[in-house]
C-alpha cells in the first residue's frame, strides 16, 4: 500500500469520526434518540446495543449520549455491566476485522524505518509491558477503543487476556460516564 493511500484512508477515518460527532449532536438535540430508546425499550437490550456502539470512533458519541439518557431510568451498575457486555462484543468485532485496516493504514502512512523502530519497541523495549496498560486505559476512557485494541494487538495480547481486560475496562468506563451524567 502506498503512503498516500494510507494517509487518505486515515483522513477518511478522521472525517467519519467528525461526522459521527455531528450526527450525535443532531440526534441528541432532535429527540430522535429518545424515540429510538422508547421504540427498543429502556431495558437491557437498549443498553447492550449502546454498549456495542460505545467501542468505535464512529459511533462512540451517539452511544455516550444514549448512556447519559438512560442513566436516570436504570441503576448505574446495571448500565455498566450490560453496556460492557455489548462493548466487549463490539471490541471483539473490531479486534478481528477493523483493527487490521487501521493498523495497516497507520503503518503504511509512516516511514518504514520509524515503523520498524516502533514495532521493535513493542516487542522488546519498555513498551512491551507499558502498551497493554495504556491500551487498557484507553478502552476504559471515552477515547475510541480502536486505539487501545491496536496497542494490545501490537503487544501481542492473547484473546484469553483481551476478553477480561476489555470487559472490566469497559465496565469502569461506562460506569464513570453514567455517574458523571447523573451528576450533571
Amino acid at each position: 500500500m502506498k503512503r498516500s493511500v494510507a494517509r487518505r484512508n486515515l483522513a477518511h477515518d478522521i472525517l467519519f469520526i467528525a461526522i459521527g460527532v455531528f450526527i450525535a449532536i443532531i440526534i441528541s438535540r432532535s429527540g430522535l434518540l429518545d424515540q429510538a430508546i422508547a421504540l427498543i425499550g429502556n431495558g437491557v437490550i437498549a443498553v447492550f446495543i449502546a454498549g456495542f456502539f460505545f467501542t468505535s470512533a464512529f459511533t462512540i458519541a451517539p452511544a455516550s449520549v444514549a448512556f447519559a439518557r438512560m442513566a436516570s431510568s436504570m441503576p448505574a451498575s446495571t448500565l455498566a455491566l450490560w453496556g460492557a457486555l455489548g462493548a466487549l462484543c463490539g471490541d471483539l468485532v473490531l479486534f478481528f476485522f477493523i483493527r487490521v485496516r487501521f493498523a495497516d493504514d497507520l503503518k503504511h502512512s509512516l516511514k518504514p524505518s520509524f515503523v520498524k523502530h516502533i514495532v521493535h519497541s513493542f516487542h522488546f523495549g519498555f513498551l512491551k509491558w507499558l502498551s497493554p496498560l495504556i491500551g487498557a486505559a484507553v478502552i476504559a476512557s471515552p477515547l475510541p477503543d480502536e486505539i487501545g485494541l491496536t496497542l494490545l494487538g501490537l503487544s501481542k495480547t492473547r484473546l484469553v487476556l483481551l476478553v477480561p481486560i476489555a470487559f472490566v475496562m469497559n465496565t469502569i468506563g461506562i460506569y464513570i460516564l453514567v455517574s458523571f451524567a447523573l451528576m450533571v
Side-chain angles (χ1 to χ4, degrees):
M1 177 184 298
K2 290 184 176 182
R3 191 178 301 172
S4 61
V5 173
R7 286 184 179 166
R8 184 179 55 213
N9 287 344
L10 283 175
H12 285 138
D13 292 344
I14 291 169
L15 175 67
F16 284 126
I17 291 168
I19 290 170
V21 170
F22 181 72
I23 289 172
I25 292 170
I26 290 173
I27 289 173
S28 175
R29 294 197 178 169
S30 69
L32 288 174
L33 185 63
D34 294 327
Q35 292 174 0
I37 290 172
L39 181 66
I40 295 171
N42 202 10
V44 172
I45 294 173
V47 175
F48 182 87
I49 291 170
F52 185 85
F53 289 111
F54 189 68
T55 60
S56 175
F58 308 114
T59 57
I60 194 168
S64 298
V65 172
F67 279 124
R69 286 283 205 288
M70 292 185 280
S72 62
S73 63
M74 194 176 288
S77 58
T78 303
L79 278 171
L81 290 173
W82 284 101
L85 189 60
L88 174 62
C89 293
D91 281 341
L92 290 175
V93 168
L94 289 173
F95 190 73
F96 287 121
F97 298 108
I98 299 172
R99 159 182 81 92
V100 174
R101 178 183 171 213
F102 182 73
D104 282 347
D105 289 344
L106 192 59
K107 182 173 75 174
H108 287 87
S109 67
L110 302 171
K111 292 182 181 179
S113 62
F114 183 70
V115 171
K116 186 176 177 182
H117 174 70
I118 293 295
V119 170
H120 180 73
S121 296
F122 275 101
H123 292 230
F124 300 109
F126 75 96
L127 289 178
K128 182 177 181 175
W129 60 268
L130 185 62
S131 64
L133 296 175
I134 294 172
V138 168
I139 290 174
S141 75
L143 295 172
D145 285 1
E146 287 97 340
I147 299 166
L149 291 171
T150 300
L151 287 171
L152 290 170
L154 284 172
S155 64
K156 306 270 188 208
T157 302
R158 295 185 325 243
L159 189 61
V160 171
L161 294 174
L162 175 70
V163 170
I165 289 171
F167 181 75
V168 168
M169 299 315 279
N170 278 312
T171 302
I172 292 168
I174 293 170
Y175 187 83
I176 290 170
L177 173 76
V178 170
S179 297
F180 182 75
L182 289 171
M183 289 189 314
V184 174

